[in-house]
Amino acid sequence: MAAGPVDPTRRGVVAGAAASPLLATSAMAAPDLISIRTDLEAWVAIGGKASGGPGDADSGAWMESRLRLFGYRTRRQAFEAPICSLTAVRLTVGDVSLEGWPQAPVRVTGPMGVRARLDLAREDAPRGALLVADLPARRWSSVRQAEIAALAETVRRTGAAGLILVTNGPTGEAIALNAPAGAPPFGVPTLALAPKDAGPVLAAAREGQTARLVIDGQTGRHRAFNLIGRIDRGAGRTVVLSTPRSGWFTCAGERGPGIALWMALLPWMAKTLTRHDIVVVSASGHEYENLGAEAFLHREAPAPERTALWVHLGAGIAARDWTQTPKGLEPLDRPDPARVLMGSAHLVETLKEAFAGEAGLEAPLPAGPTAAGELAEILKAGYPAAFGVFGSHRFHHTPLDDARCLDPAFVERLLPRFQAAILKALGEA
């Protein structure tokens, strides 16, 4: 696969930005541009961001130092997230042995694994089989998506010994799936298998061959934390800025743009929003269906009636787009348009003006049931003025979501747009 590294050059604000009266109110200073570029590089260098793991903790500490630099009072809200220290993961069919990504929370098999007949996931599959679900092509992200969620009943009715999910997505890689933090979602050992590797397994399932699935390791729970920053002015009206911090892998395109924008907005908000209290949060636990965000909403967030505005920076805000060629996937000099801008109904026109010309963001949606991720939880909680971005770029939830999925210019040009939208939403533009 061909790919381009993070662009090392410093680029300016998107051409023509001054043409918008909203954008003209919030020019971006040169230090902010440099910060976004270097912050993206630092984010990628941290590595894996699994909830409560070393990378998640390191990124939280790094972001906390930035908060303190700009005068925010910080707090770490602790909670527990699932963990599994894996020692072996493999699916063996005849002479073929394949790896994949165990579905979390993980149900382990023990070192000997589970040996059973392979069969396609269907209601009349033989009892006790290892079921193989060949999912339709989609940018998968969660076990709660309808086609995947329905498999839980199939597993139960057939008494399946295990489940293999062929996560057919836009890259041929295995896609890790978010899931609630309680019991293993299907009740049996479950493996996400890359479509590029799945041919022999699907053929064996059609023929009813025997296979062995091994997912061995130690499961448990460990501590993760939400990072919270506050500036209390006694204003009685609060602006909230949120972004998730954790994810299955490096999460360059999934999390990097949101993290970099969050940090670039910190000094601007402290200096500009002088008539409001400010609360900023970076939540862990995202992979477990917004576990950390729910903890913040229930115990630390300001009440809706005391909140002037909530801005959320979700997944895939400004990840690179790619195209399929005869040579494989090639990077494009534009952001992936598979992203959604959504907000409270009365903010839609403001958002349309602020984000005009940004593919995927130029037609903001009023808050509704299609909201995803933490933004969905925020909107359901009844905050009267809120907006945010969420998306699913091509390498979403795969280990190849690395520096190749980033271009700082895509993120830099969004900063003045968010600043403009915030000011207009607060009636200060």
Side-chain angles (χ1 to χ4, degrees), residues 123-345:
E123 292 300 324
D124 60 346
R127 290 196 62 80
L130 276 171
L131 297 184
V132 182
D134 192 18
L135 297 174
R138 190 161 305 167
R139 297 190 181 192
W140 299 103
S141 64
S142 171
V143 300
R144 287 180 169 172
Q145 289 172 274
E147 294 92 338
I148 299 177
L151 292 169
E153 181 61 15
T154 303
V155 168
R156 186 190 67 79
R157 287 187 178 181
T158 61
L163 179 63
I164 312 300
L165 299 170
V166 181
T167 52
N168 292 294
T171 65
E173 300 294 325
I175 300 173
L177 301 171
N178 292 350
F186 303 101
V188 296
T190 302
L191 188 73
L193 187 65
K196 66 182 183 182
D197 298 332
V201 177
L202 289 167
R206 295 185 187 101
E207 298 170 1
Q209 295 183 29
T210 298
R212 185 183 299 276
L213 173 63
V214 177
I215 302 175
D216 194 26
Q218 185 67 40
T219 62
R221 298 177 78 84
H222 62 166
R223 178 168 290 195
F225 67 90
N226 296 330
L227 174 64
I228 304 168
R230 288 186 169 89
I231 295 179
D232 299 313
R233 297 191 169 105
R237 297 287 286 168
T238 303
V239 176
V240 182
L241 177 70
S242 58
T243 194
R245 191 179 72 249
S246 65
W248 296 117
F249 307 110
T250 300
C251 303
E254 180 185 0
R255 294 271 162 264
I259 295 291
L261 284 167
W262 188 88
M263 293 204 291
L265 284 166
L266 295 178
W268 176 83
M269 291 175 66
K271 181 179 179 180
T272 306
L273 306 184
T274 56
R275 297 192 295 173
H276 294 84
D277 299 324
I278 301 171
V279 174
V280 298
V281 58
S282 180
S284 184
H286 173 82
E287 311 96 295
Y288 299 103
E289 297 296 354
N290 316 315
L291 182 63
E294 287 196 358
F296 174 75
L297 273 168
H298 293 158
R299 299 195 290 273
E300 296 280 351
E305 62 270 18
R306 295 177 61 85
T307 303
L309 179 66
W310 190 317
V311 180
H312 182 68
L313 308 172
I317 291 179
R320 185 189 296 278
D321 197 10
W322 299 70
T323 187
Q324 186 70 53
T325 74
K327 296 181 180 179
L329 288 169
E330 297 283 351
L332 297 173
D333 190 23
R334 68 187 187 202
D336 193 316
R339 50 186 179 166
V340 176
L341 173 61
M342 181 178 287
S344 304

Side-chain angles (χ1 to χ4, degrees), residues 28-41:
M28 183 165 53
D32 294 321
L33 290 174
I34 296 170
S35 172
I36 284 174
R37 176 175 59 83
T38 56
D39 284 349
L40 288 172
E41 292 171 350

Side-chain angles (χ1 to χ4, degrees), residues 337-361:
R339 50 186 179 166
V340 176
L341 173 61
M342 181 178 287
S344 304
H346 72 281
L347 297 179
V348 168
E349 288 304 314
T350 290
L351 297 174
K352 188 180 298 183
E353 186 175 358
F355 291 89
E358 282 289 338
L361 306 181

Side-chain angles (χ1 to χ4, degrees), residues 9-103:
T9 62
R10 179 176 174 275
R11 302 192 187 186
V13 181
V14 62
S20 166
L22 283 182
L23 296 177
T25 66
S26 54
M28 183 165 53
D32 294 321
L33 290 174
I34 296 170
S35 172
I36 284 174
R37 176 175 59 83
T38 56
D39 284 349
L40 288 172
E41 292 171 350
W43 173 256
V44 172
I46 288 170
K49 311 297 190 314
S51 294
D56 183 33
D58 288 349
S59 60
W62 168 56
M63 296 166 74
E64 186 172 33
S65 67
R66 189 69 58 85
L67 282 172
R68 290 174 174 170
L69 178 66
F70 295 119
Y72 290 78
R73 177 169 54 89
T74 66
R75 163 171 156 69
R76 296 185 179 192
Q77 180 191 18
F79 62 93
E80 289 193 336
I83 186 175
C84 183
S85 300
L86 294 165
T87 56
V89 179
R90 63 181 178 275
L91 175 65
T92 304
V93 185
D95 296 332
V96 177
S97 187
L98 301 170
E99 295 183 349
W101 298 110
Q103 176 60 54

